[in-house]
Amino acid sequence: MSTEVKVPTLGESVTEATIGEWLKQPGDAVAVDEPIASLETDKVAVEVPSPVAGVMGQQIVAVGDTVNVGAVIATIEAGEGKAAPAPAAAPAPAAKAEAAAPAPAARSEESVDTVTTMSPAVRRLVLEHGLDPTKIKGSGKDGRLTKEDVLAAANAAPDTAATPALAAAAPTPAASGAPGRREERVKMTRMRQTIAKRLKSAQETAAMLTTFNDCDMSAVIETREKYRDSFEKKHGVRLGFMSFFTKAVALAAHDIPSVNGRIDGDEIVYYDYLDVSIAVSAPNGLVVPIVRNAESLSFAGIEKAIADLGKRAKEGTLTMDDMTGGTFTISNGGVFGGLMSTPIINPPQSAVLGLHRIEDRPVVRNGEIVIRPMMYLALSYDHRLVDGREAVTFLKTIKEAIEDPTRLLIDL
């Protein structure tokens, strides 16, 4: 008896997805609610659970195919699937030489299995760095490799050569005049396609402009160092910089509401709340989960929300609700070492704040040149809605709040 596995409801306004990866192969044992496939939507990766226990049957669609909500993608058959092979008994000393012979074949099979379960992005990184994927410990679901796993392994052993198994599994490189040169074509994920379309649409629709300022991080750093341990002990979460900037954005948005608004046809929509989209790096690309009602959250509440969203982004467990909405975006390129950037608006929002790395620079204070930890701030905004005076005032308010955090407490 067969049971059909259908594409589940993916969220409001999301009607289709792409098969990103098959987590179970025909003949594998499957438990109730065990994920059998991963779907890529416009915003997040969604796992498809098995409705019944049994054996993985036919895979009706292939990786990369587009499927609609409710479409049948596989079947689950009644019965018991393939059991994991029992470990072989230790060979007698006299038989060690004969037992050692099949090892290369087993190793090759293991390598190929590892390669076939890697996502295209991870596989590309493995090829670029010439690593043996079977020697990398995966931190993803069911031990699968993530981009972070590969990058960590590359930093630890940059000169490791690619294994024959990986080379065999890789596509044949295009012909070229020089040895060792290769190219690979990988289909863009649905998420990457959506990111590309939305960002290009933002450039074509909004009258984007970026204004810059810098801020002295001395007071925030001092406050953070002073209360770091007691804050973590009381709230169970680290005190970071993002809570200071989120509170500063809430303060500035109260005075300049257009930055936290959007254009809808010939109308302007203003929000009396602040839902901050926090740009987070995830294995499948950049995602922007949302901290809801940030204007009413405490420092601890903001830090807990960000920590939870960041953790689930790396695990690939963010939901559509986590990604839907948002009235303003904060993008922290400083964690990657970026000195300055012009961030692109996340439509239909009207502004995005870009944070950058902190570095010691000479500045003038009270007529003297001193060294201070400085950070460049960048505010990209839709000039159709936000005037230059408002944008400069908004960024100046953030700068003043960061340089004097007491302002965040007395709403000044």
Side-chain angles (χ1 to χ4, degrees):
M1 178 179 176
S2 298
T3 301
E4 294 180 338
V5 180
K6 299 181 179 180
V7 177
T9 301
L10 301 172
E12 184 179 357
S13 75
V14 180
T15 60
E16 61 181 22
T18 301
I19 301 294
E21 182 181 1
W22 282 107
L23 307 179
K24 291 291 184 178
Q25 299 302 318
D28 289 349
V30 179
V32 178
D33 293 331
E34 184 177 8
I36 66 167
S38 175
L39 301 179
E40 293 178 353
T41 69
D42 293 348
K43 298 180 178 180
V44 295
V46 179
E47 291 183 337
V48 180
S50 173
V52 296
V55 180
M56 183 68 183
Q58 180 184 6
Q59 295 174 349
I60 299 175
V61 292
V63 172
D65 287 353
T66 298
V67 292
N68 294 321
V69 172
V72 178
I73 61 173
T75 61
I76 303 297
E77 308 293 339
E80 298 182 359
K82 295 181 293 186
K96 284 185 178 179
E98 292 82 354
R107 175 70 178 189
S108 177
E109 181 179 353
E110 177 189 359
S111 301
V112 173
D113 288 343
T114 302
V115 172
T116 56
T117 59
M118 292 189 296
S119 68
V122 172
R123 184 168 170 275
R124 183 169 62 251
L125 279 177
V126 171
L127 289 170
E128 288 175 355
H129 293 285
L131 298 173
D132 179 356
T134 63
K135 295 182 179 178
I136 305 174
K137 184 178 180 180
S139 62
K141 188 175 181 61
D142 296 329
R144 292 195 297 275
L145 296 185
T146 66
K147 289 165 59 176
E148 286 76 9
D149 298 332
V150 177
L151 291 175
N155 292 333
D159 297 327
T160 303
T163 63
L166 181 58
T172 303
S176 74
R181 289 164 55 88
R182 67 172 64 193
E183 65 180 42
E184 180 186 8
R185 290 181 180 269
V186 178
K187 185 176 180 180
M188 293 175 66
T189 64
R190 176 171 291 274
M191 184 184 296
R192 177 53 59 185
Q193 293 179 44
T194 301
I195 291 173
K197 291 177 182 177
R198 287 173 62 85
L199 294 183
K200 186 58 180 176
S201 175
Q203 288 184 318
E204 294 174 346
T205 303
M208 278 205 303
L209 184 63
T210 303
T211 185
F212 299 93
N213 210 324
D214 63 358
C215 64
D216 186 342
M217 296 292 291
S218 298
V220 168
I221 291 175
E222 181 181 352
T223 301
R224 185 168 175 257
E225 290 296 325
K226 182 177 181 180
Y227 297 107
R228 180 204 302 266
D229 294 339
S230 56
F231 184 91
E232 185 171 0
K233 182 178 180 180
K234 179 176 181 178
H235 301 291
V237 66
R238 295 179 59 187
L239 176 60
F241 295 126
M242 287 298 293
S243 53
F244 286 92
F245 279 103
T246 302
K247 297 290 284 187
V249 166
L251 178 67
H254 183 269
D255 296 333
I256 313 293
S258 60
V259 178
N260 189 44
R262 65 180 175 89
I263 294 177
D264 184 12
D266 59 355
E267 297 179 333
I268 299 175
V269 179
Y270 295 102
Y271 303 99
D272 65 354
Y273 55 88
L274 178 69
D275 285 352
V276 181
S277 303
I278 303 292
V280 176
S281 179
N284 292 331
L286 191 70
V287 294
V288 280
I290 299 161
V291 176
R292 310 281 181 185
N293 300 311
E295 82 288 347
S296 61
L297 293 178
S298 64
F299 279 79
I302 294 173
E303 291 294 351
K304 288 178 181 179
I306 293 175
D308 175 64
L309 292 172
K311 178 176 179 290
R312 290 194 285 131
K314 292 180 180 179
E315 294 174 346
T317 58
L318 288 174
T319 67
M320 296 297 296
D321 289 340
D322 294 326
M323 310 285 288
T324 303
T327 63
F328 186 89
T329 295
I330 300 178
S331 178
N332 187 6
V335 296
F336 303 109
L339 177 63
M340 186 179 292
S341 67
T342 55
I344 299 178
I345 296 170
N346 180 22
Q349 298 173 18
S350 295
V352 52
L353 176 66
L355 309 181
H356 303 90
R357 77 170 183 253
I358 302 171
E359 65 175 7
D360 289 339
R361 292 202 298 269
V363 294
V364 177
R365 294 287 185 270
N366 300 320
E368 296 183 353
I369 299 177
V370 295
I371 302 298
R372 290 288 187 270
M374 304 296 294
M375 175 194 286
Y376 286 116
L377 306 177
L379 180 73
S380 291
Y381 58 97
D382 189 345
H383 213 340
R384 297 177 302 166
L385 174 59
V386 183
D387 293 332
R389 176 187 62 83
E390 294 175 315
V392 171
T393 302
F394 182 89
L395 202 54
K396 182 172 178 288
T397 301
I398 292 176
K399 169 186 171 69
E400 292 173 345
I402 294 300
E403 293 185 341
D404 183 8
T406 305
R407 290 173 174 267
L408 300 175
L409 302 177
I410 61 176
D411 192 20
L412 182 61

